[in-house]
Amino acid sequence: MNVLLDSSNFHEEWAYERFSRFIDQTTRITVIPFAFHEDWVKDNDEWRACYDRVNGKFYKGIVDPFLHFGVSEAHIRWVNYFESTASDLSELLKSTDIIYFIGGFPDRTINRLIELDMIESINAFKGIIMGWSAGAFMQSAKYYIAPDKYYKVYSRQTGLNHINDFVVQVHYSGGAEQIESMNKFIRDTGLRVYTLERNSAVIAKDDQLELIGNAKEYRGYCPLYKVDI
């Protein structure tokens, strides 16, 4: 199962009932926080300043949503880019129910997984892959990045080999560059695009899709007729 979110607030009322069907006190989570910019996190000390349990500035925001479902902190394990190996991840995944990817830069996450030889283990994982923002984008085998304040131009990207028939546009605003990017991607690939904004998620399981909250299928371009509608 793949869970694609716009943000990390899945513990709130709009999503809690649905997510409580697969997150509870027995759930074991492996967090892979690889979406950081290299100018912001350059070494292990800076990584720990972000994600360490004691003083990490992002730790609470990542962990708290799971705690609302009764997950024990002891059941939330972390993959450290500067310390963890492919063997470490492989061992973790033997007792993992959910792999969790955080927001940031999706292409950097994929590049780091490739660099550390972790892609094969992730692609072979049979549990739940869950992520928000960048962690949602990169779950599709083919995805795109629309221009924004961090990415200056449209680009096509290669993600995980888990979703092959659709992509998501996170932080959807209806802006011209997003619309142009979605239309281009649909024209080039024929794949569907689903828009995510605040309080929205897509759950994909066994070829079935469930749109939650504000998630919608984008219908601005119809590749069959090659016209804007």
Side-chain angles (χ1 to χ4, degrees):
M1 185 166 83
N2 291 80
V3 182
L4 303 92
L5 291 143
D6 188 70
S7 57
S8 60
N9 64 334
F10 54 90
H11 59 296
E12 294 179 0
E13 183 178 359
W14 68 273
Y16 184 87
E17 188 279 330
R18 179 63 182 89
F19 280 62
S20 65
R21 299 180 202 172
F22 57 88
I23 305 174
D24 60 30
Q25 65 270 19
T26 68
T27 306
R28 295 179 181 270
I29 318 290
T30 293
V31 181
I32 304 182
F34 281 12
F36 55 85
H37 196 288
E38 58 274 13
D39 289 343
W40 306 340
V41 179
K42 296 183 287 294
D43 55 35
N44 198 29
D45 288 340
E46 291 185 347
W47 190 94
R48 291 188 175 281
C50 290
Y51 307 116
D52 185 75
R53 180 175 181 176
V54 177
N55 296 311
K57 60 183 176 180
F58 301 124
Y59 177 87
K60 180 177 174 61
I62 293 170
V63 167
D64 274 2
F66 291 108
L67 301 185
H68 277 77
F69 295 87
V71 176
S72 166
E73 280 190 76
H75 288 174
I76 303 175
R77 290 82 58 85
W78 297 70
V79 179
N80 183 332
Y81 169 70
F82 296 97
E83 293 183 350
S84 301
T85 66
S87 295
D88 294 333
L89 177 63
S90 181
E91 191 62 30
L92 278 177
L93 295 187
K94 292 177 182 178
S95 58
T96 292
D97 300 299
I98 297 176
I99 296 174
Y100 186 59
F101 290 104
I102 66 170
F105 297 86
D107 51 340
R108 285 171 167 82
T109 299
I110 293 294
N111 289 340
R112 289 175 178 129
L113 291 172
I114 293 171
E115 174 194 344
L116 297 180
D117 198 25
M118 293 178 173
I119 282 285
E120 184 175 352
S121 293
I122 300 293
N123 281 334
F125 181 67
K126 301 302 183 184
I128 298 169
I129 294 185
M130 181 173 169
W132 64 275
S133 190
F137 266 136
M138 50 161 281
Q139 293 184 50
S140 295
K142 297 177 182 178
Y143 71 97
Y144 68 91
I145 297 176
D148 61 16
K149 65 179 179 179
Y150 297 114
Y151 294 95
K152 300 306 180 185
V153 297
Y154 169 93
S155 65
R156 286 266 299 278
Q157 302 286 335
T158 299
L160 298 177
N161 190 28
H162 276 259
I163 296 172
N164 294 295
D165 54 355
F166 74 89
V167 300
V168 292
Q169 170 63 59
V170 301
H171 312 317
Y172 177 68
S173 65
E177 289 183 321
Q178 286 185 349
I179 297 295
E180 182 179 348
S181 296
M182 289 189 289
N183 288 342
K184 178 173 175 54
F185 184 80
I186 293 170
R187 284 195 299 268
D188 292 346
T189 67
L191 300 179
R192 290 167 291 156
V193 177
Y194 293 90
T195 60
L196 298 179
E197 51 191 288
R198 183 74 176 171
N199 298 347
S200 59
V202 174
I203 296 179
K205 181 180 181 183
D206 300 328
D207 297 323
Q208 299 295 314
L209 284 185
E210 184 178 356
L211 306 186
I212 300 172
N214 295 317
K216 298 178 180 66
E217 181 176 357
Y218 177 68
R219 296 180 178 274
Y221 177 79
C222 178
L224 179 62
Y225 298 106
K226 302 294 184 183
V227 295
D228 290 323
I229 58 175

